[in-house]
Amino acid sequence: MDSPLTIVQITDLHLLAESGQTMEAVDTENSFQKIVEQVHKTYNQIDLLLVTGDLAQDPCQSSYQRVIQTLQKHPSRTICLPGNHDDFSLMQKIINDPQINCDKVIKFKKWQIISLNSQKIGATGGFLDTSELTFLNNALEERPDLHTLIAMHHHPIPTNSKWMDTMTIENSAQLFSIIKKHSQVKAICYGHIHQETEEVIDNTLILGTPSTCFQFKPLSIDYALDSNKPGYRILSLHNNGLIESTVCRLVI
């Protein structure tokens, strides 16, 4: 019997222009590096590392180069997608080697992972362009035999934090309309919210994942930080379409 795929999701790294700089009193680069080290010490085999946006708080050549330098210390296949703080064009130029890049679809024997760009230029909230929705629909129609995990940056459903829910994907109804037609979609994972959430909608798991740096306080009316440690998500994708998922926190 084949072993399940091990997928690791990290998100919201928020690297600044220079090493040692902090945001919300957190050295975001150092925290990211510790998360990556912990992940690879814990899991001998990682089939895919998903980095779901906001790689940089200051999107510049230095910040993206330092992201890829940390990731290149380990052999895992890695896909990066953009968040609202990212310069996606610059990301694609710098994070672009055979092992670590911004590819949109990765196929395995029984699964495919599809990455969507939910960035709306000039805005903090999310939006899926027609081209992204068409791409998703086509990918699902082409391979109905593959269980599917969809990854994006912004949250497609509310978190019940009033300030955060001004930044959901504006046209998430179109996303769910497509998913409803394709039963092979088993889960959506996303970042942006800097906290752990889990819901099920029409038999699809909807998973929000903590940041590798500072965390947002759940159920907040206004912007507020939480005391939880940085985290990441582990997903075990079984051949029959079953998903097991756990959020892990940084052990300092």
Side-chain angles (χ1 to χ4, degrees):
M1 186 175 182
D2 292 338
S3 299
L5 296 171
T6 298
I7 311 295
V8 178
Q9 181 199 3
I10 63 174
T11 192
D12 296 87
L13 323 182
H14 290 282
L15 262 67
L16 297 148
E18 297 179 9
S19 293
Q21 290 181 306
T22 63
M23 184 177 180
E24 299 292 4
V26 175
D27 183 331
T28 57
E29 182 175 1
N30 180 259
S31 183
F32 159 57
Q33 290 171 340
K34 286 181 177 178
I35 287 281
V36 172
E37 285 295 326
Q38 180 172 310
V39 164
H40 286 88
K41 283 181 180 178
T42 305
Y43 297 92
N44 294 325
Q45 174 64 37
I46 296 172
D47 295 288
L48 185 67
L49 180 64
L50 273 173
V51 189
T52 55
D54 281 358
L55 281 66
Q57 176 68 22
D58 296 325
C60 60
Q61 185 169 332
S62 171
S63 54
Y64 291 127
Q65 284 178 335
R66 283 161 28 235
V67 168
I68 197 167
Q69 285 165 5
T70 294
L71 295 173
Q72 284 173 334
K73 293 177 182 178
H74 304 279
S76 298
R77 179 74 170 94
T78 302
I79 294 298
C80 300
L81 57 92
N84 48 291
H85 287 284
D86 289 309
D87 180 333
F88 193 33
S89 295
L90 186 59
M91 262 182 68
Q92 289 172 301
K93 289 177 183 176
I94 296 173
I95 302 175
N96 184 26
D97 71 26
Q99 195 73 12
I100 304 167
N101 52 49
C102 302
D103 286 353
K104 290 184 68 65
V105 180
I106 302 295
K107 293 184 175 71
F108 297 94
K109 185 177 178 182
K110 296 290 186 180
W111 281 85
Q112 65 178 343
I113 288 80
I114 299 174
S115 295
L116 298 179
N117 179 0
S118 63
Q119 184 186 65
K120 183 179 181 181
I121 302 300
T124 54
F127 185 81
L128 292 168
D129 287 341
T130 300
S131 59
E132 290 295 297
L133 293 170
T134 300
F135 176 84
L136 172 64
N137 189 66
N138 289 344
L140 294 171
E141 287 187 346
E142 286 170 8
R143 294 303 304 267
D145 57 314
L146 293 179
H147 308 302
T148 301
L149 169 68
I150 299 171
M152 62 189 72
H153 179 68
H154 290 86
H155 49 311
I157 60 173
T159 65
N160 296 316
S161 285
K162 187 174 181 180
W163 72 276
M164 175 59 69
D165 289 338
T166 64
M167 295 180 278
T168 55
I169 294 175
E170 291 177 25
N171 59 337
S172 60
Q174 291 178 266
L175 170 68
F176 284 109
S177 177
I178 291 171
I179 290 171
K180 202 166 185 178
K181 296 187 298 182
H182 299 282
S183 61
Q184 76 263 40
V185 178
K186 304 302 180 185
I188 299 171
C189 65
Y190 54 90
H192 191 63
I193 63 172
H194 289 231
Q195 61 191 268
E196 175 185 359
T197 61
E198 180 174 334
E199 291 191 38
V200 178
I201 296 178
D202 292 333
N203 298 315
T204 302
L205 265 175
I206 316 293
L207 302 168
T209 297
S211 166
T212 64
C213 53
F214 52 89
Q215 310 304 310
F216 295 147
K217 189 174 182 179
L219 307 176
S220 296
I221 295 173
D222 300 310
Y223 178 92
L225 296 179
D226 196 28
S227 59
N228 274 334
K229 287 188 168 57
Y232 54 95
R233 185 178 290 279
I234 305 294
L235 299 110
S236 296
L237 309 185
H238 293 262
N239 285 344
N240 63 0
L242 176 68
I243 295 179
E244 296 174 292
S245 178
T246 304
V247 165
C248 304
R249 299 284 177 175
L250 181 61
V251 178
I252 298 175

